Amino acid sequence: MCNLPVHVSCRSNAEYMSPSGKVPFVHVGNQVVSELGPIVQFTKAKGHSLSDGLDDVQRAEMKAYMELVNNMLLTAELYIQWCDDTTATEISRPRYSSPYSWPLNQILAYQKQWEVRRKMNAIGWAGKSLEQVYEDVSQCCQALSQRLGTQPYFFNKQPTELDALVFGHLFTILTTRLTSDELGEKIKSYSNLLAFCRRIEQSYFEDSQAGSSSRGYSKGPSLF
């Protein structure tokens, strides 16, 4: 979105290459910067920002919606993948451990599950039911849908960091295989959010992927 040259590299050990243990991260020269917030600050320090055109009120609003996404969508994704026993057993642990051989694969998968469940305990999500989590996602999507309205992006005609964050989470939910489709169905009930995802995919990813877009949700029969 900042029109900067970038090479995307998929690595099975990306999580362990990141300074914070979280993705995404960027490697620029001898610097490694991880997670969206620090990456945004790093590119801004280099003179590239998506939100320079916003006034103070809009910037504060953008940050509030970004907090909502992180507190609701991100947490819901982690909860469903690692705290729902069926999903963790059938999908998350096998997928997470697949690059490694036994017994390391089992150790790392259970360690990841333990870390996520500890986080859920700390933030008060451990006692939630799946239905409550789905309702939280619905409320978050409703707020995002109302803010987006009929605009192409959340702040009219140009994308901001909020658009990048929302797209990342919505696209991930729509394209990640889970034991239930209910999480994706919550998003699909908001047509403007679906159109928003498709718009960003077409604008920023399809041309650069040149033939690899079959991995994207746009080719799947269940979404459109």
Side-chain angles (χ1 to χ4, degrees):
M1 288 181 175
C2 288
N3 199 30
L4 295 171
V6 60
H7 171 71
V8 179
S9 180
C10 296
R11 304 288 182 87
S12 60
N13 63 335
E15 185 177 16
Y16 302 102
M17 295 169 65
S18 168
S20 67
K22 298 179 180 180
V23 292
F25 68 88
V26 293
H27 183 198
V28 184
N30 61 354
Q31 293 182 282
V32 180
V33 184
S34 61
E35 301 183 61
L36 178 61
I39 291 172
V40 167
Q41 293 303 313
F42 177 80
T43 56
K44 185 175 182 179
K46 301 295 184 181
H48 303 277
S49 175
L50 295 175
S51 54
D52 278 348
L54 303 183
D55 59 32
D56 290 343
V57 174
Q58 290 174 320
R59 195 171 288 110
E61 186 181 6
M62 180 190 74
K63 291 180 179 179
Y65 276 98
M66 291 179 74
E67 283 296 310
L68 174 67
V69 171
N70 285 323
N71 290 337
M72 290 296 184
L73 287 186
L74 174 58
T75 308
E77 290 171 68
L78 289 172
Y79 178 98
I80 292 168
Q81 290 182 47
W82 294 104
C83 296
D84 175 56
D85 289 333
T86 301
T87 303
T89 300
E90 296 182 11
I91 303 289
S92 302
R93 286 202 299 265
R95 181 170 55 205
Y96 188 83
S97 64
S98 61
Y100 310 101
S101 58
W102 189 90
L104 183 60
N105 58 348
Q106 298 298 309
I107 294 171
L108 292 177
Y110 279 101
Q111 177 180 297
K112 180 67 174 182
Q113 186 172 16
W114 179 81
E115 289 174 353
V116 172
R117 291 190 172 187
R118 184 179 64 172
K119 176 181 178 178
M120 295 300 150
N121 273 315
I123 63 176
W125 276 55
K128 288 192 176 187
S129 65
L130 266 178
E131 289 70 25
Q132 289 173 316
V133 172
Y134 289 140
E135 180 58 30
D136 287 341
V137 171
S138 291
Q139 291 179 7
C140 180
C141 288
Q142 183 177 8
L144 292 172
S145 177
Q146 289 176 347
R147 180 63 185 84
L148 180 63
T150 59
Q151 301 176 121
Y153 300 105
F154 284 98
F155 290 90
N156 204 4
K157 296 182 179 180
Q158 298 297 325
T160 64
E161 292 86 351
L162 175 61
D163 297 277
L165 179 66
V166 172
F167 171 77
H169 284 289
L170 296 187
F171 185 86
T172 297
I173 292 171
L174 291 168
T175 57
T176 299
R177 183 172 66 91
L178 297 172
T179 54
S180 169
D181 294 331
E182 190 162 352
L183 186 60
E185 291 297 328
K186 298 295 183 185
I187 297 172
K188 284 187 264 183
S189 63
Y190 297 95
S191 59
N192 64 338
L193 294 182
L194 275 182
F196 164 83
C197 284
R198 181 68 179 129
R199 186 179 305 115
I200 291 185
E201 186 192 26
Q202 287 179 321
S203 299
Y204 297 101
F205 294 98
E206 286 192 344
D207 289 343
S208 62
Q209 288 178 349
S212 63
S213 61
S214 59
R215 294 177 299 175
Y217 66 92
S218 60
K219 300 297 183 181
S222 62
L223 298 185
F224 293 97

